[in-house]
C-alpha cells in the first residue's frame, strides 16, 4: 500500500471498455451562463455503494455510442472527477465530471461536434451511461495535510482541483497547510464553480487568483494567462518554491506548461536558484504533477 494513500488503496481500472459500470445520470447542470460562448456542464452520476472507489485526481471514462472511422466501437474519453471521494452528496455513491461541449469546423468548413462531450452535455436525469475507471495514479492528491498545494488550472482543467479542495477541507484545520489556486479562463462567465471558490476563500489558508484572458491584458498588451499572474505574485510564490513544502499541480490546456515553467524560471532566477534543478528536486520528491491535453 502506498504510504501517502495509506487510508485508501488506489483502485485502478476496475471497469474497462468491454466491462463498464452502468451509472445513472442524477443531474446535469450548465455551469456557464447562456450568453457565454463556452458551454460547460456539471454532470452528476450515481452508482451502487462501493462500486467505484476513487481518489481525488483520478478520472472516469465515458464512451460515445457507435463506431469510429475504422468500424471499431468508440473508446472511452477520460474526464477528471470533479468530486472528492465522498461524491456530490457525501454518500460515496455519486461523482461529478465537468464537460465542455465541443463544436468545431471540419477542413471542408462543415460544423462538427465532439461525440462524447455532446452525449454527456445532452444527458438527462435517469439516463444510463457506461463508465470506465477509475483511471490515473500520478495526479492524485496525497494524504499530506501539512503540505502546501499550488494548483494551476485553465478551463475545465480545474475539475480535479475542485475534488482536491473538497478533500483538503476535510482535513482538520489546525493540521492543514495552504492551498493556492491560480485559475485561467477567458471571461468571468467561464469561471467554473466561482461561488464555491469564493466560499473556500473565506478560509485564510485557501487563496484564489484568477486570470481572465479575454478581459484583462498584461502590461505589454497580451492576454492575461495564469503564468502572468504567477509572475505578478513574485516573492509570495517564490516563498512557496523555497520552503520545500509545496506540491505543484498543473492541469488544463497543453500550452500552459511551457508558460508556467518560464514563470517559475524567472522567479527562481530572481532568488538565485536554477529552475531546472528546482524542478528536478520537486519531481524526484513526487511534488511536480502535470496533466495537460
Ligand atoms: P479554454 O477555454 O480553451 O482555455 C482556458 C484558458 O486557458 C483561457 O483563458 C485560454 O486563453 C487560456 N490559455 C490558452 N492558451 C494558454 C497558454 N498557452 N497558457 C496559459 N493559458 C492559456 O480551456 P478548455 O477548453 O476548458 O480546455 C481545458 C483543457 O483542460 C482541455 O485541453 C481539456 O482536455 C483539459 N482537461 C479537461 C479535464 C476535464 O475533466 N474536463 C480535465 C483535465 C484537463 P485564450 O483562449 O483567451 O487564449
Amino acid at each position: 500500500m502506498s504510504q501517502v494513500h495509506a487510508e485508501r488503496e488506489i483502485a485502478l481500472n476496475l471497469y474497462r471498455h468491454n466491462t463498464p459500470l452502468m451509472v445513472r445520470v442524477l443531474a446535469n447542470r450548465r455551469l456557464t451562463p447562456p450568453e457565454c460562448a463556452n458551454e460547460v456542464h456539471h454532470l452528476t452520476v450515481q452508482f451502487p455503494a462501493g462500486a467505484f472507489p476513487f481518489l481525488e485526481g483520478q478520472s472516469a471514462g465515458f464512451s460515445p455510442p457507435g463506431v469510429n472511422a475504422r468500424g471499431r466501437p468508440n473508446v472511452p474519453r477520460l474526464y477528471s472527477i470533479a468530486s472528492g471521494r465522498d461524491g456530490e452528496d457525501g454518500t460515496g455513491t455519486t461523482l461529478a465530471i465537468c464537460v465542455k461541449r465541443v463544436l468545431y469546423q471540419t477542413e471542408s468548413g462543415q460544423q462538427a461536434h465532439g461525440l462524447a462531450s455532446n452525449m454527456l452535455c445532452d444527458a438527462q436525469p435517469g439516463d444510463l451511461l457506461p463508465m470506465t475507471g477509475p483511471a490515473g495514479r500520478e495526479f492524485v492528491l496525497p494524504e499530506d495535510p501539512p503540505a502546501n498545494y499550488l494548483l494551476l488550472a485553465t478551463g475545465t482543467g480545474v475539475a480535479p482541483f475542485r475534488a482536491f479542495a473538497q478533500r483538503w477541507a476535510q482535513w482538520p484545520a489546525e493540521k492543514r497547510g495552504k492551498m493556492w489556486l491560480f485559475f485561467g479562463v477567458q471571461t468571468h462567465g467561464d469561471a467554473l464553480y466561482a461561488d464555491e471558490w469564493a466560499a473556500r476563500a473565506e478560509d485564510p489558508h485557501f487563496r484564489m487568483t484568477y486570470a481572465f484572458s479575454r478581459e484583462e491584458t498584461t502590461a505589454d498588451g497580451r492576454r492575461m494567462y495564469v503564468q502572468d499572474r504567477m509572475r505578478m505574485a513574485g516573492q509570495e510564490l517564490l516563498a512557496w518554491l523555497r520552503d520545500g513544502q509545496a506540491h505543484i499541480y498543473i492541469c488544463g490546456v497543453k500550452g500552459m506548461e511551457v508558460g508556467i515553467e518560464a514563470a517559475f524560471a524567472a522567479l527562481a532566477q530572481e532568488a538565485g536558484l536554477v529552475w531546472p534543478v528546482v524542478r528536478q528536486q520537486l519531481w524526484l520528491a513526487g511534488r511536480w504533477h502535470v496533466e495537460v491535453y
Side-chain angles (χ1 to χ4, degrees):
M1 184 181 287
S2 146
Q3 229 179 350
V4 284
H5 299 292
E7 285 187 10
R8 182 187 278 189
E9 183 84 58
I10 302 183
L12 273 178
N13 304 315
L14 301 178
Y15 305 93
R16 294 177 184 273
H17 185 39
N18 295 328
T19 55
L21 175 68
M22 295 309 294
V23 297
R24 192 180 300 281
V25 174
L26 261 191
N28 186 353
R29 171 167 66 95
R30 181 171 167 156
L31 290 175
T32 48
E35 64 276 14
C36 187
N38 297 310
E39 182 180 341
V40 181
H41 286 244
H42 180 77
L43 183 76
T44 307
V45 300
Q46 188 178 41
F47 42 85
F52 198 84
F54 61 90
L55 287 172
E56 297 78 12
Q58 288 193 294
S59 303
F62 293 87
S63 310
V67 293
N68 63 21
R70 286 187 288 165
R72 301 233 173 90
N74 282 314
V75 293
R77 275 48 161 187
L78 286 179
Y79 291 86
S80 296
I81 298 169
S83 324
R85 62 187 65 190
D86 298 328
E88 289 297 283
D89 55 2
T91 64
T93 62
T94 61
L95 63 81
I97 56 169
C98 188
V99 188
K100 180 173 177 179
R101 191 185 290 279
V102 177
L103 301 169
Y104 59 98
Q105 295 253 316
T106 63
E107 278 177 18
S108 58
Q110 285 180 318
Q111 180 83 353
H113 62 278
L115 290 177
S117 71
N118 279 270
M119 172 190 82
L120 295 167
C121 286
D122 292 334
Q124 298 295 316
D127 287 356
L128 291 176
L129 297 173
M131 187 171 81
T132 63
R137 60 181 313 144
E138 304 304 329
F139 205 78
V140 292
L141 180 77
E143 284 294 308
D144 190 3
N148 295 327
Y149 292 91
L150 180 62
L151 311 178
L152 307 167
T154 49
T156 51
V158 82
F161 299 152
R162 179 175 182 266
F164 282 19
Q166 286 182 5
R167 179 65 186 157
W168 179 82
Q170 284 178 333
W171 293 331
E174 68 281 6
K175 291 194 180 149
R176 321 191 269 257
K178 294 177 282 185
M179 187 169 265
W180 190 353
L181 171 63
F182 284 78
F183 187 17
V185 288
Q186 291 179 347
T187 68
H188 277 75
D190 293 301
L192 309 173
Y193 308 112
D195 49 347
E196 296 184 23
W197 303 127
R200 292 246 177 267
E202 284 175 19
D203 181 328
H205 294 291
F206 185 92
R207 187 156 169 200
M208 176 81 201
T209 302
Y210 284 105
F212 296 107
S213 62
R214 305 287 173 105
E215 294 175 346
E216 299 172 320
T217 47
T218 58
D220 57 351
R222 290 176 295 104
R223 290 176 182 173
M224 183 70 78
Y225 284 162
V226 275
Q227 53 266 35
D228 300 307
R229 285 284 175 216
M230 287 170 61
R231 283 183 194 226
M232 292 161 83
Q235 291 301 317
E236 279 180 284
L237 195 52
L238 200 51
W240 280 56
L241 265 193
R242 294 186 104 150
D243 76 0
Q245 292 301 305
H247 286 274
I248 299 173
Y249 288 81
I250 300 173
C251 192
V253 296
K254 204 168 197 156
M256 70 187 289
E257 192 185 348
V258 178
I260 284 170
E261 290 238 23
F264 274 132
L267 288 174
Q269 196 178 10
E270 275 176 37
L273 300 169
V274 180
W275 168 243
V277 174
V278 177
R279 192 197 45 193
Q280 163 92 338
Q281 286 164 348
L282 287 165
W283 186 80
L284 287 173
R287 290 173 176 272
W288 175 259
H289 311 265
V290 181
E291 196 161 281
V292 292
Y293 300 95

